[in-house]
């Protein structure tokens, strides 16, 4: 073997055993150091997407109020430490003449609405077209305190079918019975919102 061939062999061995691993480590560090999307940016992006879905629903069905409530932990029972299940309204869209309720419905124990939540858990939705003649599922306060004539609620499920939230739709000016087409439209939007919330909750650190 000539001197040149021997030198070439040594150089190749050096590149393979030393420089190669160093380059791999450098590339790996560059990839891992790529800036990650902040949790604030993720929340802002989610809120914008959900807000758009609610705007579209408001325009389509011409309701007076639409809101989304999500379940969360809220303290612990004594003395076992078991989590207290609550829900809060996180999103709300209103017509011009309608007052907000989001600030009122915060940290609400699920035990206050057993009939409504049981109905949603079993059937996925409930309808109160007329508060005087229909079952109101203990939701009469919306008619009494917020002048609601017709009220609808639908369960929001994640992609695994878990009950993670509620969407409420209120008509205050007059009674409104949803048409078949409106029900189909609303169910599609609720499914889209469930997907958005699922993706956010799964990636949240």
């Amino acid at each position: 073997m000539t001197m040149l061939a021997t030198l070439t062999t040594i150089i190749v061995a050096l590149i393979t055993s030393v420089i190669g691993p160093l380059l791999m480590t450098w590339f790996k560090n560059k990839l891992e150091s790529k800036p990650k999307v902040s949790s604030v940016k993720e929340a802002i992006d989610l809120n914008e997407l959900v807000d758009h879905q609610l705007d579209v629903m408001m325009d389509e069905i011409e309701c007076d109020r639409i809101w989304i409530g999500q379940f969360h932990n809220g303290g612990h029972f004594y003395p076992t430490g078991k989590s207290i299940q609550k829900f809060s309204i996180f999103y709300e869209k209103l017509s011009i003449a309608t007052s907000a309720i989001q600030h009122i419905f915060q940290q609400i124990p699920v035990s206050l609405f057993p009939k409504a939540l049981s109905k949603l858990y079993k059937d996925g939705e409930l309808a109160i077209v007329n508060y005087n003649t229909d079952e109101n599922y203990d939701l009469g306060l919306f008619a009494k305190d917020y002048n609601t004539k017709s009220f609808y609620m639908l369960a929001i499920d994640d992609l695994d079918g878990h009950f993670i939230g509620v969407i409420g739709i209120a008509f205050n000016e007059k009674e409104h019975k949803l048409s078949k087409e409106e029900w189909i439209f609303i169910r599609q939007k609720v499914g889209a919102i469930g997907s958005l919330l699922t993706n956010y909750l799964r990636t949240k650190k």
Side-chain angles (χ1 to χ4, degrees):
M1 180 179 292
T2 65
M3 179 76 68
L4 179 59
T6 302
L7 183 59
T8 301
T9 301
I10 293 173
I11 292 173
V12 171
L14 179 63
I15 292 174
T16 303
S17 62
V18 179
I19 299 178
L22 288 175
L23 287 172
M24 290 296 293
T25 301
W26 182 81
F27 279 118
K28 181 180 179 182
N29 291 337
K30 288 293 288 183
L31 290 174
E32 290 179 348
S33 64
K34 183 179 179 180
K36 296 181 179 179
V37 177
S38 71
S39 57
V40 173
K41 180 64 166 59
E42 288 179 342
I44 291 173
D45 290 343
L46 170 71
N47 294 338
E48 186 177 21
L49 292 170
V50 173
D51 187 75
H52 173 69
Q53 295 295 326
L54 296 182
D55 275 335
V56 172
M57 294 178 72
M58 286 280 292
D59 291 341
E60 181 67 23
I61 62 178
E62 298 181 342
C63 60
D64 295 292
R65 177 188 293 112
I66 186 167
W67 52 263
I68 293 175
Q70 290 178 255
F71 299 116
H72 57 85
N73 293 331
H76 300 86
F77 285 106
Y78 177 83
T80 63
K82 186 176 179 63
S83 294
I84 300 173
Q85 300 302 304
K86 296 184 178 182
F87 79 91
S88 297
I89 292 180
F90 283 84
Y91 305 92
E92 183 181 35
K93 304 293 288 188
L94 308 164
S95 63
I96 295 176
T98 303
S99 59
I101 63 172
Q102 180 177 6
H103 63 288
I104 298 173
F105 288 87
Q106 297 294 314
Q107 300 282 339
I108 305 298
V110 297
S111 59
L112 292 181
F113 299 101
K115 288 185 179 180
L117 294 178
S118 177
K119 173 70 172 176
L120 292 174
Y121 185 80
K122 293 176 182 177
D123 300 330
E125 54 198 38
L126 64 82
I128 307 172
V129 179
N130 184 312
Y131 269 96
N132 295 320
T133 59
D134 296 344
E135 166 66 53
N136 67 21
Y137 305 98
D138 290 336
L139 298 174
L141 68 97
F142 288 101
K144 179 181 178 181
D145 296 345
Y146 306 111
N147 197 37
T148 300
K149 301 296 190 301
S150 298
F151 188 57
Y152 300 86
M153 295 181 77
L154 293 90
I156 300 175
D157 296 332
D158 67 12
L159 296 178
D160 296 319
H162 299 133
F163 186 19
I164 62 172
V166 174
I167 188 164
I169 303 170
F171 295 87
N172 298 343
E173 297 300 321
K174 59 182 180 180
E175 293 179 10
H176 180 83
K177 183 176 182 179
L178 293 176
S179 66
K180 179 180 178 181
E181 291 74 20
E182 287 174 326
W183 272 114
I184 292 173
F185 170 78
I186 292 171
R187 288 165 183 154
Q188 290 173 342
K189 289 301 179 184
V190 171
I193 291 171
S195 297
L196 290 172
L197 295 176
T198 299
N199 292 334
Y200 174 73
L201 294 173
R202 285 182 175 178
T203 57
K204 188 78 175 75
K205 302 298 183 183

